[in-house]
Amino acid sequence: MLHWLTLMADSLPSLLWAALVFTVPLTLASFALGLIVGLVAAVVRLFGPAPLAAIVRFYVWIIRGTPLLVQLFLIFYGLPSAGIVLDAFPAALIGFTLNVGAYTSEIIRAVIGSVPKGQWEAAYSIGMSWSQAMRRTILPQAARVAVPPLSNSFISLVKDTSLAAAITVPELFQAAQRIVATTYEPLILYVEAALIYLALSSVLSALQVRLEKRLNQYGGFLEAKS
């Protein structure tokens, strides 16, 4: 028991450093870029011309219908066969961004579609253009509804970044694997890595609850005011 505690204490700085330098930046960058991709894809699906909407539907179908690990392997190990060679971190960033974009596009498309048609009509009645109505009226209302599912996607992404270890990104899980290779203590080190992921997810879940409460209070204030 004492040996395990000592091993956990000795390995903790390396695991936290890997999480800080690779896991967290990969998560934040992938989610931010994926959110942009998802928003564009959702708008094209809802309001774009039929050919572009068909391309977006095909993209979403491919990404949602194939495992994330396979997508990462295709980008990192497959593209070099076509003459496209990427380092591990950019390959992981592209893979996670495309994956997040496909899933968030469905969330954003649903929440935009849930905004009553009367909100569009009200915006047009006071002289707003389509872009002004979208930016000032529709998206703020949709964002409040989208927070819970998008937050869940973000928390899932934190855990999914462990798959980047398979394409040699030295993030948290691969750091644990490297320590296991020298200590031959897989049980305790993988438990320690799992606990770090659990801590990150728990903190994010708590922040999500606080954000939802604040948005609900704000929404209730607006409803009472109207």
Side-chain angles (χ1 to χ4, degrees):
M1 185 67 176
L2 181 60
H3 168 67
W4 282 3
L5 292 175
T6 302
L7 179 59
M8 290 181 70
D10 291 342
S11 60
L12 184 60
S14 297
L15 296 180
L16 291 178
W17 177 254
L20 181 63
V21 175
F22 291 100
T23 299
V24 172
L26 181 59
T27 301
L28 293 175
S30 298
F31 190 77
L33 294 174
L35 203 56
I36 295 172
V37 172
L39 177 59
V40 173
V43 171
V44 170
R45 287 281 301 272
L46 289 169
F47 308 107
L52 283 180
I55 293 173
V56 170
R57 281 197 300 272
F58 181 75
Y59 152 67
V60 173
W61 174 65
I62 289 292
I63 296 298
R64 295 180 70 194
T66 56
L68 175 55
L69 184 60
V70 173
Q71 296 164 20
L72 293 174
F73 269 57
L74 283 172
I75 294 170
F76 186 67
Y77 295 112
L79 288 181
S81 299
I84 303 173
V85 180
L86 298 170
D87 290 335
F89 190 89
L93 180 60
I94 292 171
F96 286 121
T97 296
L98 292 175
N99 192 270
V100 169
Y103 282 93
T104 57
S105 71
E106 292 297 279
I107 295 172
I108 296 171
R109 184 171 67 89
V111 296
I112 290 177
S114 70
V115 176
K117 186 179 179 181
Q119 296 296 316
W120 287 99
E121 296 171 349
Y124 290 146
S125 70
I126 59 175
M128 287 188 185
S129 64
W130 181 91
S131 61
Q132 289 174 326
M134 175 65 74
R135 188 174 67 254
R136 299 179 182 179
T137 303
I138 305 304
L139 285 181
Q141 295 182 59
R144 183 167 146 246
V145 180
V147 164
L150 289 179
S151 298
N152 290 334
S153 296
F154 182 69
I155 293 170
S156 295
L157 179 60
V158 173
K159 296 173 288 184
D160 289 343
T161 56
S162 61
L163 294 175
I167 59 170
T168 73
V169 176
E171 46 71 64
L172 170 58
F173 187 64
Q174 196 188 68
Q177 289 179 315
R178 289 179 175 178
I179 298 173
V180 167
T182 59
T183 61
Y184 303 102
E185 291 284 0
L187 175 61
I188 192 62
L189 285 163
Y190 289 148
V191 166
E192 185 176 17
L195 290 174
I196 295 174
Y197 282 114
L198 180 61
L200 290 172
S201 300
S202 298
V203 170
L204 292 173
S205 296
L207 293 174
Q208 175 187 349
V209 170
R210 293 190 62 181
L211 179 59
E212 288 180 17
K213 286 182 178 178
R214 293 200 62 173
L215 289 174
N216 288 336
Q217 290 173 355
Y218 180 69
F221 171 75
L222 289 181
E223 291 169 4
K225 192 175 180 180
S226 60

